[in-house]
């Protein structure tokens, strides 16, 4: 079998696992009835296999693993073997196994083990301090100045939807011109409360869920629009479906929303969204970017402290309050997510994914500074760089580099590789 055939089989198996999980009682399911692949646009391309028991799933995964092992060394082999390992881990968990938090982070998510390097957090704090001072926030501790900035720039709750619509229009125009034509796709704002997340892409319903337990600056709302919609999750779904339909991407690209190693790149693209469409406008955006870096790295460390190091919950909460300077609803949401038996390890996918995609974006941007005759519009090459096209000999290979890089880290779970944020 070639890598396309293996990828198609893996897609069918994964969607079979998704269907099997959705048939289980929601109150006894690790995923609460939401399935392993929350959003799948490939039902008309690759159908799900039918499973009545986990043993049949394991047998099929063993078969595709054996085929993947025969592939020549390269990005496709790295990705497929990493994805199979991840799906195997998910299958074990859905069948009742309880791997360690470290195994979940490294094998299921594909992120590095351990706390984030304190030097990275200190660097982000120093940059945050500098840009706050430049913006006139000079009195008090760093935490007090962050609170003052968030209060001064907070969008009143009754105006959030208006600002959301303005940002959506701007982000869509930039995305359509620079990344991918999203056509008439749109999302409405859906206020929610009591959730552990800040925002969520409910693609099938055309809604961006936004946690109104939190207050938001315009810069924060801009980040979330770019992360969840343009050019983030929604755009990635639309462009990937188009790429598969056009034969520019393998069928397994349709698994981008799987709760597996694909999450790192998916979240990374979302967190790099404002950069991908050149939507960083002012010091408020710069402040939010550095604050998000701090919070993303800190939440990664906090999850490890809570779930591996045995640090008391309230001590971890205080770490998030003081180091990440997060609003209380955010602090409690991070703790809830970290403690979730399945979703907890995915808290590390934001920081790891942001750093992966940032490095590829910067490399592609540098390469695009002198466009070739084939690519006369540099920015237009960016989305395809992340769509994992196996057929293009030029910049599209960057997506495979992303997968290769992620999975290489996924294998080296015992090492801290600093080529690796949504707060």
């Amino acid at each position: 079998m070639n890598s396309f055939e293996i990828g198609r089989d893996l897609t069918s198996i994964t969607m079979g696992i998704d269907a099997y999980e959705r048939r289980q009682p929601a109150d006894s399911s690790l995923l609460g009835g939401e399935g392993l692949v929350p959003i799948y646009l490939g039902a008309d391309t690759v159908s799900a296999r039918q499973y009545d028991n986990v043993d049949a799933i394991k047998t099929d995964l063993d078969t595709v693993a054996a085929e993947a092992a025969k592939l020549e060394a390269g990005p496709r082999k790295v990705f497929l073997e990493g994805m199979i390992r991840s799906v195997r881990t998910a299958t074990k968990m859905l069948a009742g196994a309880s791997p360690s938090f470290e195994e979940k982070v490294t094998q299921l998510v594909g992120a590095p083990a351990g706390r984030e390097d304190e030097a990275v957090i200190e660097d982000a704090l120093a940059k945050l301090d500098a840009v706050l001072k430049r913006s006139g926030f000079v009195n008090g501790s760093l935490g007090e100045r962050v609170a003052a900035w968030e209060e001064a720039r907070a969008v009143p709750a009754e105006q959030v939807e208006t600002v959301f619509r303005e940002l959506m229009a701007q982000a869509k125009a930039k995305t359509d011109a620079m990344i991918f034509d999203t056509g008439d796709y749109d999302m409405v704002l859906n206020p929610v409360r009591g959730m552990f997340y800040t925002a969520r892409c409910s693609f099938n319903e055309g809604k961006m869920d936004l946690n109104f337990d939190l207050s938001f600056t315009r810069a924060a709302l801009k980040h979330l629009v770019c992360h969840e919609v343009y050019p983030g999750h929604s755009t990635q779904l639309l462009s990937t479906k188009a790429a598969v339909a056009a034969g520019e991407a393998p069928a397994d690209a349709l698994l981008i929303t799987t709760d597996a190693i694909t999450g790192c790149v998916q979240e990374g693209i979302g967190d790099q969204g404002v950069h991908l469409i050149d939507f960083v406008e002012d010091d408020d955006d710069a402040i939010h970017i550095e604050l998000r870096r701090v919070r993303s790295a800190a939440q990664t460390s906090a999850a490890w402290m809570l779930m591996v190091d045995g640090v008391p919950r309230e001590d971890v909460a205080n770490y998030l309050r003081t180091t990440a300077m997060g609003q209380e609803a955010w602090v409690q949401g991070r703790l809830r997510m970290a403690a979730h038996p399945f979703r907890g390890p995915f808290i590390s996918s934001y920081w790891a994914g942001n750093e992966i995609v940032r490095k590829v974006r910067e490399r592609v941007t540098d390469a695009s500074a002198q466009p070739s005759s084939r690519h006369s519009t540099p920015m237009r090459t960016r989305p395809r760089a992340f769509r994992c096209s196996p057929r293009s000999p030029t910049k599209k290979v960057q997506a495979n580099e992303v997968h290769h890089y992620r999975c290489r880290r996924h294998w080296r779970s015992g090492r801290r590789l600093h080529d690796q944020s949504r707060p």
Side-chain angles (χ1 to χ4, degrees):
M1 297 175 71
N2 62 36
S3 72
F4 276 31
E5 293 167 333
I6 297 170
R8 179 172 286 272
D9 277 1
L10 179 58
T11 303
S12 182
I13 294 167
T14 303
M15 293 314 302
I17 299 169
D18 176 82
Y20 176 81
E21 174 62 17
R22 288 176 189 270
R23 292 197 303 270
Q24 308 309 308
D27 59 355
S28 61
S29 166
L30 278 177
L31 297 175
E34 294 185 358
L36 185 62
V37 188
I39 306 167
Y40 181 63
L41 302 184
D44 57 347
T45 304
V46 181
S47 58
R49 293 195 182 180
Q50 300 298 313
Y51 293 116
D52 295 320
N53 58 78
V54 173
D55 287 341
I57 295 171
K58 292 178 178 178
T59 297
D60 283 356
L61 286 173
D62 288 344
T63 299
V64 292
E67 292 295 334
K70 299 175 186 177
L71 294 174
E72 293 184 6
R76 284 291 289 164
K77 179 174 183 176
V78 171
F79 169 68
L80 288 170
E81 290 191 330
M83 186 66 173
I84 291 166
R85 184 180 296 109
S86 180
V87 173
R88 272 177 162 165
T89 303
T91 301
K92 288 195 302 182
M93 294 173 65
L94 297 176
S98 299
S100 68
F101 190 79
E102 179 175 357
E103 183 179 349
K104 294 175 189 177
V105 168
T106 58
Q107 303 296 303
L108 176 66
V109 181
R115 302 185 189 188
E116 189 43 62
D117 189 345
E118 282 299 320
V120 172
I121 298 175
E122 289 300 322
D123 175 70
L125 288 169
K127 290 177 178 176
L128 174 61
D129 176 66
V131 72
L132 279 167
K133 288 178 178 176
R134 189 172 71 207
S135 298
F137 292 87
V138 296
N139 297 319
S141 66
L142 182 58
E144 289 170 338
R145 284 181 285 138
V146 166
W149 174 77
E150 290 192 313
E151 181 178 0
R153 300 292 191 267
V155 178
E158 65 274 13
Q159 296 178 23
V160 167
E161 184 160 10
T162 298
V163 176
F164 168 79
R165 291 313 317 173
E166 292 172 354
L167 292 169
M168 284 280 286
Q170 292 176 273
K172 177 176 171 55
K174 285 177 170 287
T175 298
D176 288 354
M178 301 164 69
I179 301 290
F180 177 82
D181 187 348
T182 58
D184 60 359
Y185 184 80
D186 189 24
M187 271 193 167
V188 299
L189 186 68
N190 182 42
V192 297
R193 290 187 180 276
M195 303 299 177
F196 63 75
Y197 54 78
T198 302
R200 183 175 68 174
C201 169
S202 293
F203 180 88
N204 292 331
E205 292 77 32
K207 298 177 180 179
M208 191 187 96
D209 301 332
L210 185 67
N211 190 347
F212 268 55
D213 290 334
L214 300 163
S215 66
F216 298 95
T217 62
R218 182 179 184 275
L221 288 172
K222 178 192 291 186
H223 162 70
L224 293 171
V225 164
C226 290
H227 185 112
E228 306 294 343
V229 195
Y230 310 116
H233 297 336
S234 293
T235 304
Q236 189 184 5
L237 283 158
L238 294 168
S239 62
T240 298
K241 181 175 174 61
V244 172
E248 296 180 350
D252 50 84
L254 294 165
L255 296 176
I256 54 173
T257 73
T258 308
D259 289 322
I261 62 169
T262 44
C264 283
V265 169
Q266 184 193 25
E267 301 301 349
I269 290 173
D271 271 359
Q272 285 289 301
V274 294
H275 300 283
L276 290 170
I277 57 174
D278 294 340
F279 206 4
V280 180
E281 301 173 291
D282 52 31
D283 276 352
D284 283 341
D285 287 337
I287 289 169
H288 184 263
I289 286 168
E290 295 306 328
L291 184 56
R292 183 166 49 80
R293 285 185 67 220
V294 171
R295 289 173 175 170
S296 183
Q299 71 180 11
T300 301
S301 293
W304 195 266
M305 293 161 64
L306 182 69
M307 302 306 297
V308 179
D309 295 340
V311 177
R313 189 181 192 277
E314 188 57 25
D315 290 348
V316 179
N318 285 331
Y319 169 78
L320 289 172
R321 293 180 188 118
T322 56
T323 300
M325 298 164 287
Q327 298 174 43
E328 190 60 24
W330 177 82
V331 169
Q332 297 304 321
R334 297 300 83 192
L335 293 173
R336 284 172 58 194
M337 181 176 179
H340 191 282
F342 192 91
R343 304 202 187 281
F346 285 94
I347 204 167
S348 62
S349 66
Y350 299 102
W351 174 256
N354 182 73
E355 292 302 287
I356 294 164
V357 176
R358 177 182 63 80
K359 292 180 183 296
V360 174
R361 175 184 62 79
E362 290 173 352
R363 185 161 63 244
V364 171
T365 302
D366 291 343
S368 297
Q370 297 180 337
S372 67
S373 59
R374 181 177 180 188
H375 295 293
S376 58
T377 308
M379 284 295 297
R380 195 73 183 182
T381 68
R382 289 188 189 175
R384 294 183 182 274
F386 294 113
R387 283 216 307 251
C388 195
S389 167
R391 295 187 177 181
S392 170
T394 54
K395 293 190 179 69
K396 294 177 187 177
V397 75
Q398 297 292 347
N400 279 336
E401 291 183 27
V402 171
H403 288 312
H404 174 73
Y405 188 59
R406 173 187 56 207
C407 296
R408 182 155 46 88
R409 287 172 33 258
H410 161 76
W411 286 347
R412 298 178 183 178
S413 59
R415 297 182 58 187
R416 300 300 304 278
L417 301 181
H418 297 304
D419 264 350
Q420 330 190 20
S421 108
R422 182 175 85 188

